[in-house]
């Protein structure tokens, strides 16, 4: 029987995660980076499945899941969060089947902006995405630093933080920040992050004005967004100052190559570039000086 692509179910997500981890590690080991991925709870996948079940698909070979695709939509923006095929099945045309289902999801939701984040050295996948009209835009760098080394380089923050919770969140205000940075509101994703017990959120203030927000989880900063490009550097520096007070041994973030202010702050604070990724899309969108993504699946 041929491989069948079918809508994912909640009980498929654990096996899908196994495929994602195995595929990433096969690639990164082959390229000399060693194993980079480990299994994690599938909370955001489950949230996306409940929110829009048309965005998650599995490739099923007589009851065995051999591939997984996951996309989500916010307004006119469709984002391909994951598309992976089991390492021993990657020459069977399964990726093409899955990407067809994913692009059908974008068409169904009338999404005009179609981005993703992939590995810079994954030339096979990049070729697949280019054939579907998604082109390389700029790199996104994973950066990190030991917390004790960061603490010795901090200056007094120029901006002020206020705790962000489901009770205090002004979702209209957050939407305006997201629209200025990305062109779309991500209210449902703020609600997801604020409901995650492992994540803390903060609004960023210049005087009495709310100029941005950021989230932090396990020492990892992101997403972070600000209203104007000139605020990106001070906002990231303020987030680093907060992160230095945590108990986590390592502080990290994803920084777009387009955000020179954030990259300068990173180098000034001894953060090292550890892993390169790449944003691809069907068109240019957003102000990527002003937005730092959370991870390649959340954006």
């Amino acid at each position: 029987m041929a491989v069948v692509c079918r809508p994912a179910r909640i009980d498929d997500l654990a096996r899908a995660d196994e495929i994602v981890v195995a595929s990433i590690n096969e690639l990164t080991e082959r390229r000399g980076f060693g194993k980079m991925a480990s299994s994690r709870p599938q909370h955001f996948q489950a949230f996306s499945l409940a929110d829009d079940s048309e965005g998650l698909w599995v490739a099923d070979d007589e009851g065995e899941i051999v591939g997984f695709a996951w996309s989500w939509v916010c307004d006119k923006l469709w984002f391909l969060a994951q598309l992976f095929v089991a390492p021993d099945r990657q020459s069977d045309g399964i990726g093409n089947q899955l990407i067809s289902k994913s692009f059908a999801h974008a068409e169904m939701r009338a999404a005009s902006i179609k981005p993703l984040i992939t590995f810079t050295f994954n030339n096979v996948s990049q070729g697949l995405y280019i054939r579907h009209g998604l082109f390389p835009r700029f790199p996104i760098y994973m950066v990190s630093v030991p917390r004790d080394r960061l603490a010795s380089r901090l200056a007094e923050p120029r901006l002020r933080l206020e705790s962000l919770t489901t009770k205090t969140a002004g979702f209209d205000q957050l939407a305006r920040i997201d629209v200025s940075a990305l062109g779309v509101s991500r209210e449902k994703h703020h609600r997801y992050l604020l409901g995650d017990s492992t994540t803390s959120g903060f609004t960023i203030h210049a005087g009495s004005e709310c100029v941005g927000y950021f989230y932090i989880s396990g020492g990892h900063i992101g997403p972070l967004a600000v209203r104007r490009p000139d605020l990106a550097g001070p906002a990231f520096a303020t987030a680093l100052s907060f992160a230095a007070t945590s108990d986590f041994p390592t502080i990290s973030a994803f920084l777009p190559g387009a955000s020179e202010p954030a990259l300068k702050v990173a180098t000034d604070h001894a953060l090292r570039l550890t892993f390169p990724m790449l944003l691809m899309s069907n068109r240019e969108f957003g102000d990527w000086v002003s937005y730092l993504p959370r991870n390649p699946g959340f954006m």
Side-chain angles (χ1 to χ4, degrees), residues 1 32 83-84 118 121 128 132 145 147 150 159 181 194 227-228 234 248-250 253-255 262 292 295:
M1 293 180 63
L83 194 155
F84 290 96
T118 188
F121 46 76
L128 174 66
H132 284 82
V145 64
R147 180 178 54 82
L150 171 64
L159 303 174
L194 293 172
R227 289 183 180 274
R228 304 189 310 270
F248 297 104
T250 302
F254 276 100
L255 304 184
L292 312 184
N295 58 45

Side-chain angles (χ1 to χ4, degrees), residues 65 73 88 105 142 167 185 218 223 230 241 275 291:
I65 296 174
V73 173
D88 61 343
H105 177 228
M142 177 72 166
K167 292 182 178 179
S185 168
D230 63 292
S241 293
F275 199 70
Y291 185 82

Side-chain angles (χ1 to χ4, degrees), residues 163-171 190-196:
S163 180
L164 182 58
T165 69
T166 52
K167 292 182 178 179
T168 63
F171 289 103
H190 285 286
R191 292 187 185 278
Y192 165 78
L193 291 173
L194 293 172
D196 179 4

Side-chain angles (χ1 to χ4, degrees), residues 13 23 31 63 88 97 260:
L13 296 183
S23 298
R31 294 307 180 103
D88 61 343
Q97 295 181 58
E260 293 182 13

